[in-house]
Every structure is written in C-alpha cells, then in structure tokens.
C-alpha cells in the first residue's frame, strides 16, 4: 500500500493529484461549485414562474410581486430563467473542459514521471522492473489511475450538486429538506460498503492485469518461434487463462454496480411518492410542491452518480498504488540534459572487475586494457558476464570488486558525466522508435545524416525509399531487415562522435562479408575511436586488434 500507513489507494491517489495539479485542481473545484449554484438558481426561479403561470398565490407569487414591478412579470421571470440556463450551460462547458484538461495532464504527468523514475534510479532498478512490468504499468495502471481521477472529479461534482440542492430545498420547505437529508444518510452505509467491495475488486483486477500483461508480452516474444514449431496453442491457452480470470473479476464488479443502480432506482421512486404524500400533508401550495418534486427528481441523479463514482474510484485507485509499489515514490524532475564535455582519455583499464549477482551469476574477475583507436573483441559462453562487463564500462552498474581506471584514475562520480558524453552504446535488445529515419538519427544537417548512413552502408537503401530520410520505421524498426536496423543504430551512435563505441552483439545480424566491410569503413573514418565489440563468431573476433575471453586474458 502506498502513502502513509493505513492510507487507502484513493487517498494516495488524491495526494498525488493535489501535488501535481496544484491550483488547477482548486480552479476545477470552484467551477464545480459555480455550476451547482447555477443549477440551484435555475431551480429556484421555477417557483415564481409556476406561481405566475398557475395563477395560484403562495411564496412564489409574493416574491414575484415584491421583486418585479409592473404587470409583465411572467416575461421577466422567463427571461431570467433563460439567462440562468445559458449561464449554467456556459459554466458546465468550462467546468467539463477544465476537468478533461486536468485528467489528461495528470495521465501525461504520470507516464512521464514513471519514465523519469526509471532513468533517475539507474539501470539495475530498471532491469528489476523489466520490460513486461513497465509495459503493463503504462498500458494498464496509468490509464486506470487516470480513470480513477475522472471518477473522483465526478464524485466531487455530485457532492456540490447535492449540497446546493439541499440548500434550495431548505428555502422551500425545511421539513422536506430534512427528510431528503435523512434519506440520503440512510443510503450512506450502503454506499460505503459498495466502495469497500469495489476496492477489493480493484486490487484483484490490478493483480490480474499484471498477470495478463506479462502473458501478453510472453505471447508476443515467443509467437514467431511457436508458429514455426506449431506450438502456438500453448501460448494462447496461457494467455486465455489470464484473460478469463480478469474478465470474471470485471463482470463481478459491473454486476455490483448494476445491483446498486437497480436499488437506487427503486429507492428514488419510493422517495418521489413520499415527497408527494408529505407535501400534501404539509399543505404546500402547488408551485412549491412541483418545484420540490423537480428538485428531488434532479437530486436522484447526483446521488446515484456519487455512489457509482465512489465505487469506480475505489476500484481503479489500486492501479496507482501498484505504480508506487513497483516504482516507489515517483521522481518529479527529469534528469538534466548533460552539458559536460566528453572526457579526453588515452587508456582505459579494468583491474579485477567482478560482479556478484548471487547464485553464481555475474562476472568473474576480469583484467583488460583498451587504448584510444583500438578495437577489443569480447567473447565467452552465454552467461559468462559479457554484457555485465560492458554495463560496468558504461557506468550503468557498479562492480562488486575491482576498479575501472581511465588514464590511471578511478572513474568516479566527478568524471562519469564526461565519460558518458564521449560514449555510445548499442545493446542486444535495442530498437528504434516508430519514427522517421531522420528522427532516429537526431538533430543534424541532411549532409551529416547522409554521411553517417553512407558510413554504415545504408545510404542506398534509404535513397531507394520514396520518402528518403522521412521514411517511417514502424514499431521497433520493422520496416528494415535485422541487419539494416543494426546499421541504423550504429549510424545513430556515430552521430554522437564517440570516443568509445560499445557494441553488444550489434553486428550479429550482418553476414561476414558485410560486417568486415562495415568495420573497415569505420576504422578508416574514425581512427581515434575505440570500440569494444561483443561477438561470438571467429570472423568477428578476427576483425579486432585483440580478443578477450571472459575468464581468460587479452591476446
């Protein structure tokens, strides 16, 4: 559970909304109050209107006679009523627009802060969350949190309306207003009970969505191989089981809401009959009785809306609690854009670098030396720790033993920004966004973009596309072949003018001849750039100055 001890998910969500929305929340609340006041005024003006139309005396007729001079009182009252309805409509339009803006801005803020939190807490934390966990959070928990905010605003609107309507009823007949308040109070325990049940349903739905989201990720990740092997049914069955449980929980929640609506409709009908009976017993004049009847009929809507909104808020708020459980307290400020100048270095050394992940996993002690302009190949069996060593060199994770020295000095926090400014890294799972080739390569002149594409052997492919540099890549760059994607990623890395290029199997999709041609062009164009290349093929290792086998020594 997020927030302070014993704090409900809804309270934790409201705390976060209040912090993020700031004055926009209070402006929206003021508009809600103004809309409710306009609603109450439009109902009050019905009293003199009905009194004048019916010709009956009573409070409405006396009010019209005292306030409105002359004989043409009905047109004046009708004009006021029309102006009030126009004002009410205008206020509700502004209120609804402000509510929509608050909701959309909050969802954007939540998505952005989740990304900032991952970036702020570093790669080990991001890796522990995992791609499937982050995708489930963004696809399920963030939208449901935004939906909870929507229902919270709906509940606040309903409360404002009910308070104003009760105040209007009190001006017409305080015994009737007191009776309405008693009826609303009698429904409060049922309302709170439904909200508590909905919160439990929400917790179950949140857990099931996590399971379903991870199953969907596994389905996508393994579908290609499963189709090739004719075993896709196993993945489909696992995904279906997660969907069935989720669907059952959502149906249970919808059933509870439907039951509450049905009970509310019956109670509203009984209340209307009671109003007429009590009004007759109190000998209220017909205009007042009619206005009260309209008022209490209008009150039924906000009362039901409040019940439904509180239940839905309680059901969706656990999604925000799950975000905080997964990411912790969300970061508020994005990491600053690096301004450090690239560190100018001559030699990098690893002395006994090791990483203990527990259970025998990690990286055994490794020594290496890499000078500017050199290409060092890194090989080893799967799980030996090649990627771990690259991550240590990149400053993503800290070794549990050993030192990383740059020109003889430890790479500490004071030098890390400059080190990263002169580094480019292409990991195993990296893929471009669904954007244009121009967007993927970053801000540069067309001449610079074409030069980078030519250097990696991709210029002719891009020129052959009707849109050229503005060709969209599709999700994960799927419009390109595997080798073309790797070339594009290398071109993007080169745009940084790195002193050190880390390639974690980033040339594995290229054939031997293409890989050799690429390496020769890179070495000729960037003779002072050092490269650490993780590879398995002997032909790839042979392209480098030296090779380092994890567990061995540089040769």
């Amino acid at each position: 559970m997020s927030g302070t001890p014993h704090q409900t998910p809804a309270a934790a969500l409201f705390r976060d909304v209040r912090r993020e929305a700031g004055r926009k929340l209070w402006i929206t609340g003021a508009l809600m109050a103004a809309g409710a006041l306009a609603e109450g005024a439009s109902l009050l003006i019905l009293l003199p209107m009905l009194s004048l139309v019916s010709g009956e005396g009573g409070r409405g007729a006396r009010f019209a006679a005292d306030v409105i001079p002359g004989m043409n009182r009905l047109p004046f009252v009708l004009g006021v009523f029309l102006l009030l309805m126009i004002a009410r409509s205008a206020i509700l339009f502004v209120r609804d627009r402000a509510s929509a803006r608050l909701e959309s801005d909050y969802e954007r803020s939540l998505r952005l802060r989740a990304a900032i939190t991952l970036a702020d807490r570093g790669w080990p934390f991001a890796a522990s969350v995992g791609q499937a966990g982050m995708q489930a959070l963004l696809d399920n928990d963030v939208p449901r949190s935004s939906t909870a905010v929507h229902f919270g605003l709906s509940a606040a609107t309903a409360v404002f309306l009910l308070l104003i309507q009760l105040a209007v009823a009190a001006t017409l007949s305080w015994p009737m207003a007191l009776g309405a308040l008693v009826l609303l109070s009698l429904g409060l325990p049922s309302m709170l009970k439904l909200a508590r049940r909905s919160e439990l349903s929400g917790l179950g739905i949140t857990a099931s969505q996590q399971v379903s989201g991870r199953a969907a990720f596994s389905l996508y990740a393994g579908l290609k191989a499963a189709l090739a092997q004719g075993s896709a049914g196993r993945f489909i069955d696992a995904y279906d089981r997660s969907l069935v449980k989720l669907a059952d929980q959502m149906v249970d929640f919808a059933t509870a809401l439907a039951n509450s609506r049905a009970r509310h409709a019956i109670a509203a009908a009984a209340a209307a009959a009671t109003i007429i009976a009590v009004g007759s017993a109190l000998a209220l004049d017909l205009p007042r009785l009619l206005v009260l009847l309209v008022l209490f009929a209008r009150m039924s809507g906000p009362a039901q809306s409040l019940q439904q909104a509180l239940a839905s808020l309680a059901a969706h708020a656990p999604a925000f609690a799950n975000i905080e459980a997964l990411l912790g307290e969300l970061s508020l400020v994005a990491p600053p854009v690096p301004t450090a100048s690239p560190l100018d270095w001559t030699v990098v050394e690893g002395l006994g670098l090791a990483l203990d992940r527990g259970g025998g996993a990690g990286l055994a002690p490794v020594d290496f030396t890499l000078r500017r302009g050199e290409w060092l190949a890194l090989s080893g069996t799967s799980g030996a720790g090649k990627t771990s060593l690259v991550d240590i060199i990149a400053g993503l994770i800290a070794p549990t033993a050993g030192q990383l020295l740059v020109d003889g000095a430890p790479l500490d926090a004071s030098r890390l920004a400059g080190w990263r400014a002169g580094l480019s890294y292409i990991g195993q799972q990296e893929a471009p966004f669904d954007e244009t080739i121009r967007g993927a390569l970053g801000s540069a002149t067309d001449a610079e973009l074409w030069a980078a594409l030519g250097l990696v052997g991709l210029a002719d492919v891009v020129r052959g596309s009707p849109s050229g540099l503005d060709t969209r890549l599709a999700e994960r760059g799927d419009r390109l072949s595997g080798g073309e994607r790797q070339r594009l990623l290398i071109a993007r890395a080169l745009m940084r003018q790195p002193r050190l290029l880390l390639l974690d199997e980033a040339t594995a999709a290229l054939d031997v001849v293409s890989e050799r041609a690429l390496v020769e062009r890179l070495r000729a164009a960037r003779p002072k750039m050092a490269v650490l290349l993780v590879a398995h093929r002997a032909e790839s290792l042979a392209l480098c100055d030296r090779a380092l086998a994890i567990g061995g020594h540089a040769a």
Side-chain angles (χ1 to χ4, degrees):
M1 185 75 66
S2 64
T4 58
H6 309 300
Q7 190 177 38
T8 65
L13 176 63
F14 177 72
R15 176 207 66 201
D16 192 64
V17 172
R18 185 177 55 191
R19 181 179 60 187
E20 285 301 300
R23 66 176 185 176
K24 287 189 293 186
L25 181 62
W26 308 117
I27 291 172
T28 303
L31 289 169
M32 291 175 182
L37 286 170
E39 168 85 4
S42 65
L43 288 171
L44 269 178
I45 201 67
L46 288 176
L47 182 59
M49 185 189 308
L50 292 173
S51 297
L52 291 170
V53 170
S54 66
E56 290 196 16
R59 184 182 301 178
R62 292 194 299 273
F63 174 81
D66 292 340
V67 175
I68 307 168
M71 299 300 296
N72 296 323
R73 296 188 177 104
L74 182 58
F76 181 86
V77 172
L78 290 174
V80 172
F81 175 74
L82 181 60
L83 288 175
L84 282 172
M85 294 306 293
I86 292 173
R88 173 181 173 273
S89 298
I91 293 171
L92 295 186
F93 171 80
V94 177
R95 181 202 69 188
D96 292 344
R97 182 177 174 82
S99 296
R101 172 57 63 186
L102 192 152
E103 293 167 28
S104 61
D105 284 352
Y106 180 72
E107 181 169 347
R108 171 182 171 275
S109 164
L110 202 52
R111 290 183 184 279
L112 184 61
R113 285 182 292 141
I116 289 172
T117 299
L118 286 181
D120 188 49
R121 299 193 180 176
W123 177 246
F125 177 79
S128 70
V129 173
Q131 187 174 351
M134 195 62 188
Q135 184 173 334
L137 182 148
L138 293 175
D139 290 347
N140 296 323
D141 294 333
V142 169
R144 288 185 64 222
S145 298
S146 179
T147 300
V149 173
H150 168 78
F151 284 116
L153 294 176
S154 297
T157 300
V159 169
F160 279 119
L161 282 171
L162 286 171
L163 290 175
I164 295 298
Q165 288 168 344
L166 283 170
V168 171
T171 65
L172 297 174
S173 171
W174 70 263
M176 298 286 280
L178 182 60
L181 181 60
V182 170
L183 289 175
L184 289 173
S185 301
L186 290 176
L188 188 59
S190 175
M191 188 182 300
L192 295 177
K193 182 179 179 182
L194 177 62
R196 284 193 294 269
R197 287 180 55 194
S198 298
E199 182 180 324
L200 294 176
S201 295
L203 290 169
I205 290 172
T206 299
S208 295
Q209 282 187 329
Q210 284 183 287
V211 174
S212 180
R214 286 186 167 86
F217 183 82
S218 299
L219 172 65
Y220 176 79
L223 185 59
K224 185 176 182 180
L227 288 172
Q229 299 166 182
S231 59
R234 180 172 62 85
F235 286 91
I236 299 296
D237 287 344
Y239 186 45
D240 183 47
R241 286 194 296 272
S242 70
L243 291 178
V244 167
K245 184 175 181 180
L246 176 59
D248 288 344
Q249 289 174 322
M250 296 183 76
V251 168
D252 289 343
F253 172 63
T255 300
L257 288 183
N259 285 336
S260 73
R261 281 194 294 268
R263 290 194 298 269
H264 183 88
I266 295 171
T274 303
I275 289 168
I276 296 174
V278 173
S280 299
L282 294 174
L284 296 177
D285 55 79
L286 182 60
R288 265 202 295 172
L289 186 58
L290 289 175
V291 173
L292 284 168
L293 189 59
V294 170
L295 178 63
F296 291 140
R298 295 285 285 270
M299 196 179 293
S300 173
Q304 182 173 358
S305 177
L306 177 61
Q307 184 179 46
Q308 302 286 304
L310 287 177
S312 298
L313 168 61
H316 287 86
F320 176 77
N322 186 62
I323 293 174
E324 287 203 323
L326 190 63
L327 300 182
E329 190 72 21
L330 296 177
S331 300
L332 300 177
V333 182
V337 176
T339 56
S341 299
L343 192 63
D344 192 14
W345 55 273
T346 301
V347 61
V348 180
E349 299 173 277
L351 303 180
L353 289 175
L355 182 68
D356 184 6
R357 296 186 183 275
L363 173 68
V366 171
D367 296 320
F368 75 90
T369 301
L370 178 62
R371 294 177 177 83
R372 285 286 295 276
E374 285 187 332
W375 283 56
L376 176 62
L378 188 62
S379 66
T381 59
S382 178
K386 300 184 295 297
T387 297
S388 295
L389 178 57
V390 175
D391 289 347
I392 291 172
I393 295 172
L396 293 174
I397 56 178
T400 52
Q403 279 188 311
L404 182 65
L405 305 179
V406 179
D407 289 338
L411 184 61
D412 56 19
S414 65
R415 309 174 74 202
L416 189 57
W419 174 250
R420 287 173 171 167
L423 179 149
S424 288
Y425 185 173
I426 304 176
Q428 295 180 21
Q429 303 299 323
E430 191 166 352
F433 291 122
D434 181 7
E435 57 186 346
T436 64
I437 291 176
R438 185 191 304 277
L441 293 180
S443 178
T445 66
D446 283 7
E448 290 170 332
L449 298 179
W450 285 116
L453 292 172
L455 190 56
V456 299
L458 200 57
D460 289 342
V461 174
V462 177
R463 286 194 179 96
S465 172
S467 301
L469 292 171
D470 295 315
T471 301
R472 291 204 70 85
L473 296 170
E475 184 181 0
R476 297 184 62 81
D478 282 347
R479 283 208 174 92
L480 303 176
S481 69
E484 290 169 344
R485 280 198 299 273
Q486 289 190 331
R487 291 176 189 271
L488 180 65
L489 292 171
I490 293 173
R492 183 176 70 183
L494 294 175
M495 296 299 295
R496 287 173 52 83
Q497 303 293 325
R499 274 110 166 125
L500 172 61
L501 178 61
L502 303 175
L503 301 176
D504 190 356
E505 299 192 44
T507 60
L510 299 176
D511 60 75
V512 173
V513 174
S514 298
E515 183 183 34
R516 176 176 291 278
L518 173 63
V519 171
E520 289 175 352
R521 286 196 298 271
L522 292 179
R523 300 199 72 163
R526 305 286 176 90
K528 293 185 178 181
M529 180 178 69
V531 177
L532 180 63
L533 174 66
V534 178
H536 290 285
R537 295 186 305 214
E539 295 86 351
S540 301
L541 302 178
L543 296 173
C544 298
D545 299 303
R546 291 175 296 125
L548 172 65
I550 294 297
H553 300 281

